[in-house]
Short mmCIF file of all heavy atoms in Angstrom, two decimals:
data_model
loop_
_atom_site.label_atom_id
_atom_site.label_comp_id
_atom_site.label_asym_id
_atom_site.label_seq_id
_atom_site.Cartn_x
_atom_site.Cartn_y
_atom_site.Cartn_z
N LEU F 1 -109.10 -134.59 -25.35
CA LEU F 1 -107.71 -135.23 -25.47
C LEU F 1 -106.89 -134.54 -26.64
O LEU F 1 -105.70 -134.49 -26.60
CB LEU F 1 -107.90 -136.76 -25.73
CG LEU F 1 -108.48 -137.58 -24.46
CD1 LEU F 1 -108.64 -138.95 -24.81
CD2 LEU F 1 -107.33 -137.53 -23.41
N THR F 2 -107.68 -134.33 -27.73
CA THR F 2 -107.02 -133.69 -28.91
C THR F 2 -106.45 -132.36 -28.59
O THR F 2 -105.26 -132.03 -28.95
CB THR F 2 -107.99 -133.54 -30.07
OG1 THR F 2 -108.50 -134.87 -30.44
CG2 THR F 2 -107.31 -132.96 -31.31
N LEU F 3 -107.18 -131.52 -27.87
CA LEU F 3 -106.70 -130.22 -27.46
C LEU F 3 -105.49 -130.21 -26.68
O LEU F 3 -104.54 -129.54 -26.76
CB LEU F 3 -107.85 -129.47 -26.79
CG LEU F 3 -109.03 -128.93 -27.49
CD1 LEU F 3 -110.08 -128.35 -26.76
CD2 LEU F 3 -108.50 -127.96 -28.63
N ILE F 4 -105.47 -131.14 -25.56
CA ILE F 4 -104.30 -131.34 -24.66
C ILE F 4 -103.13 -131.90 -25.49
O ILE F 4 -101.98 -131.27 -25.30
CB ILE F 4 -104.69 -132.24 -23.56
CG1 ILE F 4 -105.86 -131.77 -22.74
CG2 ILE F 4 -103.46 -132.67 -22.79
CD1 ILE F 4 -106.39 -132.62 -21.69
N THR F 5 -103.37 -132.79 -26.46
CA THR F 5 -102.22 -133.31 -27.19
C THR F 5 -101.58 -132.26 -28.05
O THR F 5 -100.39 -132.23 -28.20
CB THR F 5 -102.67 -134.50 -28.09
OG1 THR F 5 -103.31 -135.49 -27.17
CG2 THR F 5 -101.43 -135.19 -28.75
N VAL F 6 -102.48 -131.43 -28.65
CA VAL F 6 -101.99 -130.35 -29.58
C VAL F 6 -101.13 -129.41 -28.73
O VAL F 6 -100.01 -128.94 -29.20
CB VAL F 6 -103.09 -129.54 -30.20
CG1 VAL F 6 -102.61 -128.33 -30.80
CG2 VAL F 6 -103.74 -130.53 -31.27
N GLY F 7 -101.57 -129.08 -27.57
CA GLY F 7 -100.81 -128.13 -26.74
C GLY F 7 -99.40 -128.70 -26.29
O GLY F 7 -98.41 -127.89 -26.37
N LYS F 8 -99.38 -130.00 -26.01
CA LYS F 8 -98.06 -130.58 -25.71
C LYS F 8 -97.22 -130.68 -27.01
O LYS F 8 -95.98 -130.65 -26.92
CB LYS F 8 -98.29 -132.05 -25.14
CG LYS F 8 -99.03 -132.12 -23.81
CD LYS F 8 -98.00 -131.61 -22.78
CE LYS F 8 -98.65 -131.64 -21.40
NZ LYS F 8 -97.79 -130.97 -20.36
N TYR F 9 -97.83 -130.84 -28.09
CA TYR F 9 -97.04 -130.95 -29.47
C TYR F 9 -96.49 -129.52 -29.71
O TYR F 9 -95.17 -129.51 -30.07
CB TYR F 9 -97.99 -131.38 -30.57
CG TYR F 9 -97.35 -131.06 -31.82
CD1 TYR F 9 -96.34 -131.91 -32.39
CD2 TYR F 9 -97.80 -129.97 -32.74
CE1 TYR F 9 -95.87 -131.54 -33.68
CE2 TYR F 9 -97.25 -129.65 -33.91
CZ TYR F 9 -96.33 -130.47 -34.40
OH TYR F 9 -95.76 -130.20 -35.57
N LEU F 10 -97.18 -128.53 -29.49
CA LEU F 10 -96.64 -127.25 -29.74
C LEU F 10 -95.53 -126.85 -28.71
O LEU F 10 -94.44 -126.27 -29.19
CB LEU F 10 -97.81 -126.11 -29.61
CG LEU F 10 -98.87 -126.19 -30.70
CD1 LEU F 10 -100.00 -125.22 -30.35
CD2 LEU F 10 -98.27 -125.93 -32.05
N GLU F 11 -95.63 -127.31 -27.47
CA GLU F 11 -94.57 -127.01 -26.58
C GLU F 11 -93.33 -127.78 -26.89
O GLU F 11 -92.18 -127.28 -26.72
CB GLU F 11 -95.10 -127.52 -25.21
CG GLU F 11 -94.18 -127.03 -24.03
CD GLU F 11 -94.80 -127.37 -22.58
OE1 GLU F 11 -95.87 -127.98 -22.52
OE2 GLU F 11 -94.10 -126.97 -21.58
N THR F 12 -93.50 -129.03 -27.31
CA THR F 12 -92.36 -129.86 -27.65
C THR F 12 -91.65 -129.33 -28.94
O THR F 12 -90.44 -129.35 -29.05
CB THR F 12 -92.85 -131.34 -27.99
OG1 THR F 12 -93.47 -131.85 -26.83
CG2 THR F 12 -91.61 -132.24 -28.32
N LYS F 13 -92.53 -128.70 -29.89
CA LYS F 13 -91.93 -128.27 -31.11
C LYS F 13 -91.09 -127.00 -30.78
O LYS F 13 -90.04 -126.71 -31.38
CB LYS F 13 -92.97 -127.90 -32.06
CG LYS F 13 -92.59 -127.51 -33.45
CD LYS F 13 -93.67 -127.20 -34.42
CE LYS F 13 -93.16 -126.86 -35.80
NZ LYS F 13 -94.26 -126.64 -36.81
N SER F 14 -91.63 -126.24 -29.79
CA SER F 14 -90.85 -124.95 -29.36
C SER F 14 -89.53 -125.33 -28.88
O SER F 14 -88.42 -124.69 -29.09
CB SER F 14 -91.69 -124.22 -28.37
OG SER F 14 -91.01 -123.03 -28.03
N LYS F 15 -89.52 -126.44 -27.95
CA LYS F 15 -88.23 -126.85 -27.45
C LYS F 15 -87.36 -127.38 -28.37
O LYS F 15 -86.08 -127.47 -28.32
CB LYS F 15 -88.48 -127.92 -26.32
CG LYS F 15 -89.15 -127.27 -25.08
CD LYS F 15 -89.37 -128.33 -23.94
CE LYS F 15 -90.05 -127.63 -22.73
NZ LYS F 15 -90.20 -128.57 -21.70
N GLY F 16 -87.90 -128.02 -29.50
CA GLY F 16 -87.14 -128.68 -30.58
C GLY F 16 -86.21 -127.61 -31.27
O GLY F 16 -85.15 -127.91 -31.81
N LYS F 17 -86.68 -126.35 -31.33
CA LYS F 17 -85.92 -125.37 -31.98
C LYS F 17 -84.62 -125.11 -31.20
O LYS F 17 -83.55 -124.84 -31.78
CB LYS F 17 -86.65 -123.99 -32.08
CG LYS F 17 -87.84 -124.00 -32.99
CD LYS F 17 -88.56 -122.60 -33.16
CE LYS F 17 -89.59 -122.68 -34.19
NZ LYS F 17 -90.24 -121.36 -34.28
N THR F 18 -84.69 -125.18 -29.85
CA THR F 18 -83.59 -124.97 -29.05
C THR F 18 -82.64 -126.17 -29.31
O THR F 18 -81.40 -126.03 -29.33
CB THR F 18 -83.94 -124.95 -27.55
OG1 THR F 18 -84.86 -123.85 -27.40
CG2 THR F 18 -82.69 -124.73 -26.71
N SER F 19 -83.11 -127.36 -29.34
CA SER F 19 -82.33 -128.53 -29.67
C SER F 19 -81.63 -128.47 -30.95
O SER F 19 -80.39 -128.86 -31.05
CB SER F 19 -83.26 -129.89 -29.63
OG SER F 19 -83.85 -129.98 -28.45
N ALA F 20 -82.28 -127.95 -31.96
CA ALA F 20 -81.68 -127.73 -33.25
C ALA F 20 -80.42 -126.75 -33.16
O ALA F 20 -79.40 -127.00 -33.73
CB ALA F 20 -82.60 -127.18 -34.31
N ALA F 21 -80.75 -125.60 -32.35
CA ALA F 21 -79.61 -124.73 -32.10
C ALA F 21 -78.39 -125.36 -31.50
O ALA F 21 -77.19 -125.13 -31.78
CB ALA F 21 -80.19 -123.56 -31.33
N ILE F 22 -78.64 -126.27 -30.46
CA ILE F 22 -77.57 -126.96 -29.81
C ILE F 22 -76.83 -127.89 -30.75
O ILE F 22 -75.59 -127.97 -30.72
CB ILE F 22 -78.10 -127.68 -28.65
CG1 ILE F 22 -78.71 -126.73 -27.57
CG2 ILE F 22 -77.13 -128.61 -27.95
CD1 ILE F 22 -79.41 -127.43 -26.41
N THR F 23 -77.65 -128.52 -31.68
CA THR F 23 -76.86 -129.41 -32.57
C THR F 23 -75.95 -128.68 -33.55
O THR F 23 -74.95 -129.12 -33.87
CB THR F 23 -78.09 -130.14 -33.46
OG1 THR F 23 -78.87 -130.90 -32.58
CG2 THR F 23 -77.43 -130.97 -34.43
N LYS F 24 -76.40 -127.48 -33.88
CA LYS F 24 -75.62 -126.60 -34.83
C LYS F 24 -74.23 -126.26 -34.10
O LYS F 24 -73.22 -126.19 -34.74
CB LYS F 24 -76.38 -125.38 -35.29
CG LYS F 24 -77.43 -125.84 -36.38
CD LYS F 24 -78.15 -124.46 -36.82
CE LYS F 24 -79.17 -124.97 -37.79
NZ LYS F 24 -79.91 -123.57 -38.36
N LEU F 25 -74.55 -125.96 -32.88
CA LEU F 25 -73.25 -125.49 -32.12
C LEU F 25 -72.32 -126.70 -31.84
O LEU F 25 -71.06 -126.50 -32.02
CB LEU F 25 -73.79 -124.99 -30.64
CG LEU F 25 -74.26 -123.64 -30.58
CD1 LEU F 25 -74.73 -123.40 -29.17
CD2 LEU F 25 -73.15 -122.51 -30.92
N MET F 26 -72.91 -127.95 -31.73
CA MET F 26 -71.97 -129.10 -31.48
C MET F 26 -71.38 -129.52 -32.74
O MET F 26 -70.14 -129.93 -32.81
CB MET F 26 -72.78 -130.26 -31.03
CG MET F 26 -73.42 -130.11 -29.62
SD MET F 26 -74.47 -131.41 -29.06
CE MET F 26 -73.31 -132.68 -28.88
N ASP F 27 -71.97 -129.13 -33.89
CA ASP F 27 -71.30 -129.41 -35.28
C ASP F 27 -70.10 -128.53 -35.48
O ASP F 27 -69.25 -128.88 -36.36
CB ASP F 27 -72.32 -129.24 -36.43
CG ASP F 27 -73.41 -130.31 -36.35
OD1 ASP F 27 -73.19 -131.27 -35.76
OD2 ASP F 27 -74.42 -130.05 -37.04
N LEU F 28 -70.04 -127.40 -34.76
CA LEU F 28 -68.80 -126.51 -34.83
C LEU F 28 -67.52 -127.21 -34.34
O LEU F 28 -66.42 -126.88 -34.68
CB LEU F 28 -69.08 -125.24 -34.05
CG LEU F 28 -70.07 -124.20 -34.66
CD1 LEU F 28 -70.27 -123.15 -33.63
CD2 LEU F 28 -69.72 -123.76 -36.09
N SER F 29 -67.69 -128.08 -33.39
CA SER F 29 -66.55 -128.73 -32.76
C SER F 29 -65.99 -129.81 -33.57
O SER F 29 -66.75 -130.63 -34.11
CB SER F 29 -66.99 -129.34 -31.38
OG SER F 29 -65.85 -129.89 -30.78
N PRO F 30 -64.62 -129.79 -33.85
CA PRO F 30 -64.09 -130.83 -34.69
C PRO F 30 -64.09 -132.15 -33.96
O PRO F 30 -64.09 -132.36 -32.67
CB PRO F 30 -62.61 -130.46 -34.79
CG PRO F 30 -62.32 -129.49 -33.56
CD PRO F 30 -63.63 -128.86 -33.29
N LYS F 31 -64.34 -133.22 -34.66
CA LYS F 31 -64.45 -134.54 -34.22
C LYS F 31 -63.18 -135.18 -33.73
O LYS F 31 -63.14 -136.13 -32.89
CB LYS F 31 -65.19 -135.50 -35.20
CG LYS F 31 -66.51 -135.02 -35.68
CD LYS F 31 -67.56 -134.87 -34.43
CE LYS F 31 -68.94 -134.29 -34.86
NZ LYS F 31 -68.89 -132.83 -35.22
N THR F 32 -62.03 -134.85 -34.40
CA THR F 32 -60.77 -135.50 -34.03
C THR F 32 -59.73 -134.40 -33.90
O THR F 32 -59.89 -133.08 -34.24
CB THR F 32 -60.25 -136.31 -35.18
OG1 THR F 32 -60.18 -135.61 -36.42
CG2 THR F 32 -61.28 -137.47 -35.40
N ALA F 33 -58.53 -134.81 -33.21
CA ALA F 33 -57.49 -133.96 -32.95
C ALA F 33 -56.23 -134.66 -33.25
O ALA F 33 -56.12 -135.98 -33.16
CB ALA F 33 -57.55 -133.41 -31.53
N ILE F 34 -55.12 -133.96 -33.68
CA ILE F 34 -53.81 -134.57 -34.04
C ILE F 34 -52.90 -134.19 -32.72
O ILE F 34 -52.55 -133.10 -32.62
CB ILE F 34 -53.23 -134.01 -35.30
CG1 ILE F 34 -54.09 -134.34 -36.46
CG2 ILE F 34 -51.81 -134.59 -35.48
CD1 ILE F 34 -53.66 -133.65 -37.75
N VAL F 35 -52.69 -135.28 -31.98
CA VAL F 35 -51.82 -135.15 -30.78
C VAL F 35 -50.45 -135.58 -31.08
O VAL F 35 -50.14 -136.68 -31.74
CB VAL F 35 -52.47 -135.91 -29.60
CG1 VAL F 35 -51.60 -135.85 -28.46
CG2 VAL F 35 -53.81 -135.43 -29.34
N LEU F 36 -49.41 -134.86 -30.57
CA LEU F 36 -48.00 -135.10 -30.78
C LEU F 36 -47.51 -135.93 -29.53
O LEU F 36 -47.72 -135.42 -28.43
CB LEU F 36 -47.17 -133.94 -30.94
CG LEU F 36 -47.49 -132.97 -32.17
CD1 LEU F 36 -46.65 -131.67 -32.15
CD2 LEU F 36 -47.41 -133.72 -33.49
N ARG F 37 -47.01 -137.18 -29.83
CA ARG F 37 -46.64 -137.96 -28.68
C ARG F 37 -45.09 -137.65 -28.38
O ARG F 37 -44.41 -137.00 -29.10
CB ARG F 37 -46.68 -139.43 -29.16
CG ARG F 37 -48.25 -139.95 -29.25
CD ARG F 37 -49.02 -139.47 -28.09
NE ARG F 37 -50.50 -139.90 -28.29
CZ ARG F 37 -51.47 -139.62 -27.30
NH1 ARG F 37 -51.17 -138.84 -26.44
NH2 ARG F 37 -52.77 -140.04 -27.73
#
């Protein structure tokens, strides 16, 4: 059970790097915009 859990942990951690990259990309986008009525 420990070996299998470690394998799943490593796989999740690897995917977490991609999630961090997506978060950084999303941070580039401004949260608000000034619209002229």
Side-chain angles (χ1 to χ4, degrees):
L1 291 173
T2 300
L3 288 172
I4 293 172
T5 304
V6 168
K8 291 296 181 183
Y9 166 73
L10 293 175
E11 188 174 5
T12 303
K13 189 175 180 181
S14 180
K15 288 181 178 178
K17 289 184 176 181
T18 302
S19 300
I22 293 171
T23 302
K24 287 181 180 179
L25 281 173
M26 293 178 71
D27 288 342
L28 290 175
S29 179
K31 302 299 182 286
T32 60
I34 301 174
V35 176
L36 300 177
R37 298 306 182 188

